Amino acid sequence: MSSLNCSRLTMISLVLFVLIIGSANAQLSTSFYSSSCPKLSSTVQSTVQSAISNEARMGASILRLFFHDCFVNGCDGSILLDDTSNFTGEKNANPNRNSARGFDVIDNIKTAVENVCPGVVSCADILAIAAADSVAILGGPTWNVKLGRRDAKTASQSAANTAIPAPTSNLNTLTSMFSAVGLSSKDLVTLSGAHTIGQARCTTFRARIYNETNIDTSFASTRQSNCPNTSGSGDNNLAPLDLQTPTSFDNNYFKNLVQNKGLLHSDQQLFNGGSTNSIVSGYSTNPSSFSSDFATAMIKMGDISPLTGSNGEIRKNCRKPN
């Protein structure tokens, strides 16, 4: 074979390699639906705004759904699936049972989106957009959401039970679980700042407010008034993750940690003499730094193992495979 033919073959192989790598890494795009569904952004935003106007807590609930989706086999909309005869889904896994909420809002968004561009937009992308809208509506940062995810056809309760960090986790466990999905210890602290909004159930913080010593005593007393020490009593009673402004996306979460007023054990672990103390301290005094880093970290989390191209599907109903 001539050297010219060899060089041509080499060039063709190189081009194919670049195309394959490109298709694997460059599927998500902020303009993915710009021509196929130009009204997508406004359609999602108006439905999210309506839901939050009806109940301010819903913004935190939708944001949490996106976290819990991405941590289990990637951002593929699997958390939205109901159980079927073929699989047991994620909704009744330990981190989600009696606490994951907002599924009806996602259904409403899907219905609205299907009305303007049927069969085009995935439930996984709808969840990603809704999470970003929730943060913005509650006063947090904005970012351009990368899109082009497709929906999983299955879900795994066992994966959800093992992949989502528990509120009882210590810093080493949190760091390793975030690392397992490609997120750094800085991302861990930044994304934990989502706990500046929302509520937690008594059962998730009972052990902390009665048994731990790295907690402000008056804060512990306040929380004990609505969370009895006896297991099974008041388990579902709610407390704000951020005592000051539970429906405003700000940096008070980090101010609370510096004062030993983190509600969850996993929260206070971020400021407990360990490697992440300095990041928490920085965010507690620099809200703009937290805002910009949070937007960056959310984009990074949204890149976790998406289904793209011919993988997965575009579900007609977010609760069940086609």
Side-chain angles (χ1 to χ4, degrees), residues 215-243:
I215 186 168
D216 178 87
T217 52
S218 64
F219 173 72
S221 297
T222 300
R223 293 279 62 92
Q224 288 169 8
S225 66
N226 194 41
C227 181
N229 198 5
T230 308
S231 181
S233 177
D235 283 3
N236 292 319
N237 291 355
L238 297 173
L241 286 156
D242 165 15
L243 189 60

